[in-house]
Amino acid sequence: MRDADAISVSDDAATKTAAGPPQNTAVSRYGKKAVIASSLGYAMDGFDLLILGFALSAITADLHLSDSEAGSLATVTLFGAVLGGLFFGVLADRIGRVKVLTYSVIFFAVFTGLTAVADSYTQFAVFRFLAGVGIGGEFGVGMTLAAEAWPARKRARATALVGVGWQAGVLMAALVSAPVLTHFGWRGLFLLGAVPALVAVVFRSRLHEPAAFTQQRAGRAAGKTPKVPVRMLVADAETTRATAGVLVLTSVQNFGYYGIMIWLPTYLAKEFGYSLTKSSLWTAVTVLGMAVGGLLFGHLADHIGRRRAFWTFQFGSAVSVLAYSQLTTGWALMVGGAIMGAFANGMIGGYGALMADLYPTEVRATAQNVLFNLGRAVGGFAPVAVAMVAASIGFASAIALLAVIYVIDMAAMLLIPDRRATDCAQPGS
């Protein structure tokens, strides 16, 4: 894998010397703009996917859906993301990160808006699948753009900020869903999803491609770039082990996230009698915890290394999810939700840095999109699985069982090379 890393180029390459790590770790103005643009794209994803959770009851009643049909709507969206992840990831490695980020935002915005006119389960599912195709492009392309625009020593902090963009979109959904549903219904909520297309045009006009990509493209013109980047994910035994490990990590991340967040408003309503407004507030506090956890994870991963940072948060996830399932009082649910969110979703930005460390420039966006969105496909089963388990033993027990997957997560880290900030700063980052 180190041989593959040797052909990777980062934006701080010019500051490196043969004697050691780069001397300049300042974040450029371009780097800040790239992170903002990537965060905005990911925020739109977060907003889109959580409004489905809040609108699910209204959609079920209006379209006369069964519980299994309702639970599958998130699943088909995530399946679409797998297809979009592969397509947009490969495209971003060929024509550019900024261009493809824009295309994917517009694609998902259009079909999210069209969801508002669906009048049957089939139409709704088709529009959600196509919106998912667009959503699939944004995580990996945005993470790649951020990772290549910042110094390698601060890479985890950059991708953590992109991850916080997701939480900003989720928080917005938690705050606006109740009033919009009350006054305009679920269709009005999905019409808001068309707005990101305008945002995409604005930030596309203000960004150029990162230096890492433009230098790699020059190599491609000289015939140095592999024609099938997906094959580089299993280029040798070490890379294959790392790819398998990352796939487990992204699957657990998505399964845990969607298993909790899609059903959290319903859990609070059914188990504790919370109104939609109160469920939104409690969910918002959980999301704020996720944002704080994400920022903390970014700093921790840059200082103590990826493996130790992931192990800390994975252990915290297992304990906090189990503890949350036992809580019964309002304040305990609020504080416990914030702590659970900090651990269970604080790692989200870390995957962007981890995969940027592991794979070279010419396959980086492909790796990010393919591996994260395959994890989304596995996570897509979570809403249905939680619903089935909850029907037998209750929501609290179903949530408690999610703690087990984070133990599996900890074991998977042993398959992945342990990189620290000093390692990432060497040539090949």
Side-chain angles (χ1 to χ4, degrees):
M1 186 175 296
R2 297 308 300 168
D3 291 340
D5 285 346
I7 54 176
S8 171
V9 183
S10 68
D11 271 7
D12 60 330
T15 67
K16 296 175 183 168
T17 67
Q23 302 302 310
N24 179 17
T25 58
V27 179
S28 67
R29 183 181 177 188
Y30 171 79
K32 294 175 182 177
K33 287 165 58 177
V35 165
I36 291 172
S38 300
S39 298
L40 283 172
Y42 205 33
M44 296 163 194
D45 282 6
F47 179 86
D48 178 88
L49 285 171
L50 192 64
I51 60 175
L52 177 60
F54 281 108
L56 204 53
S57 295
I59 295 167
T60 300
D62 190 28
L63 300 182
H64 308 291
L65 307 182
S66 66
D67 286 346
S68 60
E69 286 176 331
S72 72
L73 293 178
T75 303
V76 297
T77 305
L78 300 178
F79 283 170
V82 177
L83 177 61
L86 176 60
F87 174 73
F88 285 118
V90 172
L91 196 62
D93 280 331
R94 288 201 165 272
I95 70 172
R97 286 68 163 111
V98 178
K99 287 180 181 178
V100 174
L101 185 61
T102 306
Y103 300 155
S104 65
V105 170
I106 292 174
F107 194 92
F108 113 80
V110 169
F111 286 103
T112 296
L114 285 174
T115 304
V117 302
D119 59 8
S120 69
Y121 169 77
T122 301
Q123 288 184 8
F124 199 104
V126 168
F127 289 142
R128 291 307 300 164
F129 177 84
L130 292 172
V133 172
I135 287 172
E138 291 173 42
F139 173 88
V141 179
M143 288 292 184
T144 301
L145 176 60
E148 292 178 348
W150 276 44
R153 284 178 177 270
K154 296 182 178 180
R155 178 173 285 163
R157 275 165 278 189
T159 55
L161 288 170
V162 177
V164 170
W166 171 279
Q167 313 309 344
V170 169
L171 181 60
M172 187 187 307
L175 294 176
V176 306
S177 290
V180 173
L181 282 169
T182 300
H183 293 94
F184 304 102
W186 66 267
R187 296 181 188 276
L189 200 55
F190 281 95
L191 281 175
L192 289 178
V195 174
L198 301 176
V199 179
V201 174
V202 173
F203 72 64
R204 167 67 183 93
S205 65
R206 300 190 178 191
L207 275 179
H208 56 78
E209 298 295 342
F213 175 77
T214 55
Q215 292 179 41
Q216 177 268 328
R217 184 165 56 183
R220 183 178 64 198
K224 299 177 182 177
T225 298
K227 298 204 179 279
V228 187
V230 177
R231 290 183 180 176
M232 292 187 67
L233 305 186
V234 289
D236 51 51
E238 184 184 5
T239 306
T240 301
R241 284 195 301 272
T243 296
V246 172
L247 185 56
V248 172
L249 262 61
T250 58
S251 297
V252 169
Q253 174 66 38
N254 284 286
F255 196 94
Y257 180 83
Y258 293 113
I260 294 169
M261 293 304 293
I262 290 296
W263 287 110
L264 187 58
T266 302
Y267 172 64
L268 293 172
K270 286 189 174 182
E271 297 291 321
F272 305 103
Y274 285 11
S275 65
L276 179 60
T277 300
K278 194 171 183 179
S279 294
S280 298
L281 176 60
W282 260 241
T283 303
V285 172
T286 302
V287 172
L288 286 174
M290 292 177 178
V292 173
L295 294 174
L296 178 61
F297 184 93
H299 283 273
L300 200 63
D302 278 339
H303 283 291
I304 69 172
R306 312 307 191 216
R307 182 177 291 170
R308 283 199 280 179
F310 271 104
W311 270 344
T312 300
F313 273 66
Q314 288 160 349
F315 178 77
S317 297
V319 172
S320 60
V321 167
L322 183 61
Y324 184 81
S325 69
Q326 306 304 309
L327 302 178
T328 57
T329 63
W331 283 107
L333 285 165
M334 178 176 283
V335 175
I339 294 172
M340 177 180 67
F343 283 112
N345 205 245
M347 298 175 281
I348 187 69
Y351 302 107
L354 184 68
M355 287 185 271
D357 296 342
L358 293 173
Y359 303 99
T361 306
E362 62 266 37
V363 72
R364 190 169 282 154
T366 300
Q368 298 263 17
N369 263 358
V370 169
L371 297 181
F372 191 79
N373 284 298
L374 283 175
R376 268 180 168 166
V378 175
F381 289 104
V384 176
V386 169
M388 292 174 64
V389 174
S392 300
I393 60 176
F395 271 113
S397 297
I399 290 175
L401 284 174
L402 290 174
V404 176
I405 65 176
Y406 294 104
V407 178
I408 298 172
D409 221 19
M410 295 178 72
M413 285 303 303
L414 295 173
L415 297 172
I416 302 169
D418 189 16
R419 301 285 170 81
R420 304 174 190 275
T422 52
D423 298 323
C424 299
Q426 300 306 313
S429 65

